[in-house]
Amino acid sequence: MTKPTLLATVEEWLFRHRLGFLVLFLVLTAVLFGFATQTKVDARFEKQLPQQHEYIETFRKYQDEFGGANRVIVALVVKEGDVFTADYFNKLEALTDEVYAMHGVRQESVTSLFTPNVRFTEVVEDGFSGGNVVPADFETTPEGLARVRENALKSNYMGRLVTDSFNGAMVMANLFEIDPDTKEPLDTFAVASELEALRGKYEDDKTGVHIIGFSKVMGDVRDGALNVITFFCITIVITALLVWLYSQSFLFSVLPMSCSLAAVVWQLGALHLLGYGIDPMSILVPFLVFAIGVSHGVQMVRVFRNQLFEGVDPVEAARSAFRELLVPGGVALLTDTIGFITILLIPVPTIRELAIAASVGVAAIIITNLILLPLMLSYLKPRVGYRERVAKRKEKTVVFWHRVALVTRPRLAKGLVLVGAILFVLGFDQAARVEVGDLHQGVPELRPESRYNRDTAVITENFNLGVDVLIAFTETVKDGSVDYEVMELLDRFEWHLKNIEGVKSVLGLAGMARKINSGYSEGSLKWQVLPFNKAMLAQSVGRVETSTGLTNLDGSVLPVMVFLEDHKAETLRQVVAAVKAFDTAHGREKIRFRLAGGNAGVMAASNEVVREAQFPILIYVFAAVILLCYASFRSVRIVICIVLPLALVSVLAHTLMLWMDIGLKTSTLPVVALGVGEGVDYGIYLFSCFLAQRKKGLAFTEAMDAAMTQAGSAIVFTGLTLSVGVGTWAFSALQIQVDMGILLMFMFLMNMVCAIVLLPAIARLLFRSE
C-alpha cells in the first residue's frame, strides 16, 4: 500500500474536521477584527530617515546641538500693501505666542520678529550698537512701526524672516521627535491639526497664512489617505460585480470576497499585535491584499465549479480544488511575499513597515483563500440550472480562447517574440534614463494644486531662504572659528557652493564674519574680508550667536546652510557632488566638510539609498521567482517562459515612469517589486493547467489550447480585478497614490496580456519539438 503524501495527509485532516476549523477561523477573525479596529495611522519624521546612512549619522550627531530637519514654518503674508499696520503686528505677535505654546515645539528654536533671538547690529560713531528688531517697549504706533522697519533693514533677516518687499513675515520652530511630557513619539497629526487651526484663526480677507513643514505634510497626507476608505468601498462594489459576472452565482461571489476581506482583517489585527501601525504612505496595502485575495479565490472557485460540473459531490470537489491549487497558489503567494520582503533592503523604516504589512497580508491570504475558502465551498451546492447557464456562456468564451491559442502557431509565435524583444530593447534604453529622486517642485506626495504645494510656492516666491535647505557641517578643531586657516577655507567653501546651479543662497559663519568686519570699518566694502589677526577675527566672529545655528559653543563645528531653489534630483545631486568634491580636494585633518542636515540632506540620503537598492531588489525578486518556479515545475524552459514576460513588463513600467515624469523614490521603488511578485501568478496558474493537460496525453498545441480555455477567463478576471483595485487610486487627493495606482494598474494589465499572448508564444518556440 502506497504511503500517503504530506499533502494528502493535510487534506484528509482538514476536511475530516472542517466544521471545527470553520468555527476556529470564525473565532480568530472576530478576535483579530477587535485588534484591527485598534490599529492606528502612524507617521513620524524619524521613520522617514534612511538608517545607517552616513548623512543621517551626521544629522543625528548634531541634531540636538543645531536642531533637526523636523521644523514648521508659518508665513503671514498680506494681500495688499505692506506689513506695517497695527492689525498685522498684533496678529504676528499673537501667532508667535501660539506657536511658542504649541505642543511639541522646541521653545528655544522659535524664531520671529517678536522673539529675542532676532537682533540687529549697526555701526555707530562709538562702535557697534544693536538690539531686538522688535524692541521690548514696542507699540503699534506709526513711530513704533517705523522703528521696526529700520531695525529690520539693519538686521541679517531681510529675505529670510521678513520679505524684501515687506509684504510678509514668518514664524519658524523646530519640533521634538519624542514628546517631553509623555516620552512617546510626538503626535504628528495633532501638531498638523494645531497648525491648521492657526490658519483658520489668523487668515482673513487681508492676510493669508501659509504653512509648511513635515508635520503639516503628514497631516495633509493623512487627510487625503483617509479618503481611501471611500475608494475601498467603491473597489469592493466593482470587484463584487466582476466576481458575479465571472461566477454567475451570488454565493460563489460572496465567499471569495468574504475570505479576502478576512485576510485584510487578519493583516490589520496582526500588525497591531506586532506593534505596528499603518503609515499614510502604506495605507494602500490593504487594497492590494484584498485584490490579490480575490484573484486567488476566483481560481479556487473555478476549479471547484469544474469538478461539480463533472458530477463530483461538493466535498470531493472542494478537496480536489484544494489539492490542485494549494501548491501552485502557495508558490504564487510565496513569490508575492518574497517580492514584498525584498523591499526590506531599503533601510527606511516607513518602507520596511510597508514590506512587513504586505507580507503579513499575503501570508493571511494563504490561510483564508487556500484553506478556509475550500472548506466553505464544500458546503455549497449550485442551484438548478446554474450548470446550464455557465455552459451557455462558456460556449462563447471557448471560441474566443481557441482564437487566442492561435498564438502558439510557430510563425505567429516567432513574430510575437520578436515584437517583445524589440519592445524590451527600446524600453530598456528609456528605462535607464529614469531619475532617482523628485522631478517636480513642491511635495511630490501631494497633488501640484494642493494647498500645501501652493503654500510652498508662495513662501519660495517671497522669501530668499527657500523651503529646501541642505546643511554641510564643517568639522574642525576647538576654536577653529577664530583660526584664519580654517575660516579662509570655510569662506572658499561658501563661495564654491554659491556658484552651484540650483542654489538660492548660502549662509555660513565666514560670510557673516566678513560683513561684521566691514562694519568695524564704517561698512567699507574693501574691508569685507576675513582679518588675519586672531583677535580681530575673534571680534568679528564673536558677534555671531550660537542661536543662529552657524557655530557651536567651542567653535569646532561650523554649519553652512545651503538654501536651494527646489529639491529635484538633479539639484540635490549637483550640490552633494560639489560638497564631496570640495572636501576631497581641500579637506584635511584639521577641517572636514560633512553631509548632511536639513530636509534636503535627508532627501539626498534617501535618493542614494534608492539608487543603491534598485538593482539588488530586482535581482532578488527575479531570483526568487526563478527558484520557486523551478522548484514547482522542475523545468528550465517553463521558468524561462514565466520570467521573460515579467522582465519585459518591468522594463516597460520604468519606461512609463520616464514618460509620466515619475522619479524613482522610496515611495515608487516598491511598486516594481510588487508588480513582478504579483505578475508571476498568471504564469504559474496557466502552466499548472498546461501540465495537467499534458499528463492526459495531449500534444503541446492541444494542451495549451485546453489550458487557455480553462484558465484564460480566470487570468483575465484576475488582471481586471487587480487593476480595478488599484485603478481607483487615480482619483485620490494624493499624487503618490495616483502615481502608484497608474503604475500598478499598468503592470497588472500588461502582465495579464503577456501571460495570455507572449508566454504561450515563448513556450511554443521552446517546446517546438513536442
Side-chain angles (χ1 to χ4, degrees):
M1 185 176 180
T2 306
K3 184 178 179 180
T5 62
L6 177 61
L7 177 59
T9 302
V10 171
E11 175 193 328
E12 181 65 30
W13 182 57
L14 284 172
F15 283 89
R16 182 185 301 169
H17 307 287
R18 55 186 175 138
L19 182 59
F21 277 109
L22 288 176
V23 173
L24 176 62
F25 284 137
L26 182 61
V27 171
L28 282 174
T29 303
V31 171
L32 288 171
F33 179 79
F35 288 116
T37 59
Q38 301 176 46
T39 304
K40 298 179 180 179
V41 178
D42 177 27
R44 299 193 303 270
F45 179 75
E46 191 73 13
K47 291 169 56 179
Q48 314 298 317
L49 304 180
Q51 305 300 303
Q52 284 82 51
H53 192 281
E54 61 174 313
Y55 300 173
I56 303 304
E57 293 297 319
T58 304
F59 169 81
R60 292 185 194 281
K61 182 178 179 181
Y62 299 115
Q63 185 174 10
D64 292 335
E65 197 168 10
F66 296 105
N70 188 7
R71 67 172 180 167
V72 294
I73 294 176
V74 184
L76 206 60
V77 180
V78 295
K79 297 178 180 179
E80 292 183 0
D82 59 32
V83 300
F84 296 106
T85 64
D87 177 65
Y88 181 88
F89 269 80
N90 288 334
K91 285 181 181 178
L92 183 62
E93 183 177 20
L95 177 63
T96 301
D97 292 341
E98 293 211 38
V99 170
Y100 185 86
M102 270 181 58
H103 193 67
V105 166
R106 291 178 177 266
Q107 294 180 337
E108 75 280 1
S109 72
V110 177
T111 306
S112 161
L113 289 178
F114 280 92
T115 55
N117 57 353
V118 176
R119 299 174 59 82
F120 73 95
T121 302
E122 64 176 326
V123 182
V124 295
E125 185 177 353
D126 298 327
F128 280 94
S129 176
N132 295 345
V133 171
V134 177
D137 58 352
F138 168 72
E139 293 182 1
T140 55
T141 61
E143 294 76 15
L145 294 172
R147 184 180 175 190
V148 170
R149 183 187 190 111
E150 291 178 7
N151 292 346
L153 288 169
K154 298 170 187 174
S155 76
N156 195 43
Y157 291 96
M158 290 301 299
R160 294 170 53 210
L161 205 59
V162 60
T163 62
D164 289 327
S165 60
F166 287 118
N167 69 327
M170 65 168 60
V171 181
M172 298 187 292
N174 290 335
L175 301 178
F176 287 103
E177 295 302 326
I178 302 297
D179 191 317
D181 297 328
T182 65
K183 308 304 179 185
E184 297 289 330
L186 183 66
D187 188 341
T188 303
F189 301 134
V191 173
S193 298
E194 287 188 64
L195 290 170
E196 195 59 39
L198 292 179
R199 189 201 303 277
K201 186 173 182 179
Y202 293 101
E203 190 167 61
D204 54 31
D205 56 350
K206 296 180 181 179
T207 312
V209 178
H210 309 279
I211 308 170
I212 60 174
F214 173 79
S215 294
K216 193 66 181 71
V217 171
M218 287 295 102
D220 289 359
V221 169
R222 189 272 308 267
D223 293 341
L226 290 180
N227 293 330
V228 84
I229 298 173
T230 303
F231 296 129
F232 193 65
C233 294
I234 295 172
T235 298
I236 291 176
V237 172
I238 297 176
T239 303
L241 179 62
L242 289 173
V243 175
W244 182 83
L245 288 173
Y246 174 79
S247 65
Q248 297 287 299
S249 166
F250 175 77
L251 290 177
F252 282 162
S253 303
V254 168
L255 289 185
M257 291 194 61
S258 299
C259 290
S260 300
L261 286 172
V264 174
V265 169
W266 283 39
Q267 175 201 28
L268 296 177
L271 286 176
H272 178 75
L273 291 174
L274 292 171
Y276 294 103
I278 288 288
D279 190 273
M281 301 301 183
S282 59
I283 204 166
L284 299 174
V285 171
F287 272 78
L288 281 176
V289 172
F290 174 73
I292 293 171
V294 171
S295 68
H296 285 274
V298 165
Q299 296 288 350
M300 189 67 71
V301 169
R302 172 184 64 82
V303 177
F304 174 76
R305 191 174 62 181
N306 289 343
Q307 292 296 312
L308 285 180
F309 292 167
E310 292 179 8
V312 179
D313 67 86
V315 176
E316 185 55 39
R319 294 180 67 153
S320 179
F322 172 82
R323 190 184 315 124
E324 183 175 331
L325 293 182
L326 181 64
V327 173
V331 169
L333 289 170
L334 186 60
T335 306
D336 296 343
T337 304
I338 292 176
F340 293 130
I341 290 176
T342 57
I343 303 173
L344 290 171
L345 288 172
I346 306 175
V348 179
T350 296
I351 303 303
R352 287 182 168 175
E353 287 187 15
L354 180 149
I356 292 170
S359 300
V360 170
V362 173
I365 293 173
I366 295 176
I367 298 173
T368 59
N369 290 63
L370 297 185
I371 298 177
L372 175 60
L373 182 56
L375 293 179
M376 295 175 72
L377 288 172
S378 67
Y379 287 96
L380 285 188
K381 288 185 179 180
R383 294 182 178 181
V384 176
Y386 176 67
R387 178 177 181 178
E388 289 73 20
R389 190 164 66 251
V390 173
K392 185 176 181 181
R393 189 189 65 176
K394 192 173 182 179
E395 290 177 1
K396 300 177 182 179
T397 59
V398 165
V399 174
F400 172 78
W401 289 115
H402 282 327
R403 291 176 179 173
V404 174
L406 294 177
V407 299
T408 58
R409 290 184 175 179
R411 181 174 295 180
L412 184 56
K414 290 180 181 178
L416 288 171
V417 172
L418 179 60
V419 170
I422 293 173
L423 286 175
F424 182 87
V425 173
L426 295 177
F428 189 85
D429 177 66
Q430 296 287 301
R433 303 178 188 178
V434 175
E435 286 276 7
V436 175
D438 294 326
L439 304 182
H440 304 283
Q441 292 185 339
V443 175
E445 287 77 16
L446 301 172
R447 285 184 178 269
E449 67 275 12
S450 68
R451 179 59 193 264
Y452 187 94
N453 280 334
R454 284 187 282 123
D455 284 351
T456 300
V458 169
I459 292 174
T460 303
E461 181 181 346
N462 287 281
F463 294 88
N464 294 335
L465 53 72
V467 297
D468 297 307
V469 57
L470 182 145
I471 301 176
F473 296 97
T474 307
E475 297 177 343
T476 182
V477 295
K478 184 179 179 181
D479 295 327
S481 59
V482 293
D483 185 318
Y484 178 79
E485 180 186 357
V486 171
M487 291 296 289
E488 190 275 333
L489 186 59
L490 178 63
D491 189 39
R492 280 196 283 151
F493 179 60
E494 293 175 18
W495 180 87
H496 177 67
L497 294 179
K498 287 178 183 177
N499 289 278
I500 303 301
E501 185 177 356
V503 173
K504 196 167 187 178
S505 61
V506 175
L507 185 63
L509 183 63
M512 292 285 287
R514 286 196 297 111
K515 290 181 181 178
I516 294 170
N517 188 60
S518 172
Y520 279 112
S521 301
E522 300 180 342
S524 172
L525 292 179
K526 73 177 183 178
W527 287 104
Q528 199 172 107
V529 294
L530 293 172
F532 288 94
N533 184 276
K534 188 172 184 178
M536 291 181 64
L537 183 57
Q539 183 177 243
S540 298
V541 171
R543 306 292 303 184
V544 182
E545 300 178 4
T546 56
S547 61
T548 61
L550 299 180
T551 180
N552 61 352
L553 285 173
D554 64 2
S556 62
V557 181
L558 313 174
V560 175
M561 301 179 186
V562 186
F563 297 98
L564 308 178
E565 294 179 356
D566 53 60
H567 55 256
K568 293 180 182 179
E570 181 64 21
T571 303
L572 293 180
R573 188 163 54 247
Q574 288 179 162
V575 175
V576 167
V579 173
K580 289 183 175 179
F582 193 90
D583 182 65
T584 301
H586 305 287
R588 60 199 73 158
E589 186 177 351
K590 193 174 184 179
I591 180 171
R592 305 293 303 192
F593 302 94
R594 305 293 187 192
L595 292 164
N599 66 315
V602 173
M603 293 179 193
S606 298
N607 289 353
E608 291 191 5
V609 164
V610 170
R611 190 177 293 110
E612 293 170 3
Q614 59 175 321
F615 293 115
I617 281 180
L618 286 177
I619 291 171
Y620 291 145
V621 169
F622 277 99
V625 169
I626 291 170
L627 291 175
L628 289 172
C629 288
Y630 183 78
S632 300
F633 299 112
R634 303 289 180 179
S635 169
V636 174
R637 289 183 293 181
I638 291 179
V639 171
I640 293 173
C641 292
I642 293 174
V643 170
L644 288 184
L646 294 178
L648 173 61
V649 174
S650 178
V651 167
L652 293 180
H654 280 82
T655 302
L656 181 65
M657 291 177 66
L658 179 69
W659 291 351
M660 292 179 61
D661 279 337
I662 299 175
L664 204 57
K665 304 170 292 184
T666 54
S667 56
T668 54
L669 181 59
V671 172
V672 179
L674 300 182
V676 172
E678 175 56 30
V680 71
D681 296 0
Y682 305 120
I684 289 175
Y685 278 122
L686 182 62
F687 266 105
S688 295
C689 292
F690 170 74
L691 293 178
Q693 298 302 318
R694 292 283 286 167
K695 290 178 180 178
K696 295 179 182 179
L698 297 182
F700 175 87
T701 303
E702 290 75 17
M704 186 59 74
D705 190 309
M708 297 278 278
T709 303
Q710 284 186 12
S713 296
I715 289 174
V716 170
F717 169 80
T718 298
L720 292 176
T721 302
L722 290 169
S723 299
V724 166
V726 298
T728 55
W729 304 353
F731 303 98
S732 171
L734 302 181
Q735 190 64 41
I736 182 177
Q737 292 181 353
V738 174
D739 293 342
M740 290 180 69
I742 293 174
L743 283 174
L744 283 173
M745 183 169 65
F746 173 81
M747 294 191 75
F748 291 155
L749 289 175
M750 286 302 298
N751 278 322
M752 177 194 74
V753 172
C754 287
I756 60 179
V757 176
L758 185 59
L759 188 151
I762 296 173
R764 173 70 277 179
L765 299 184
L766 294 179
F767 290 85
R768 61 179 179 270
S769 60
E770 300 181 17

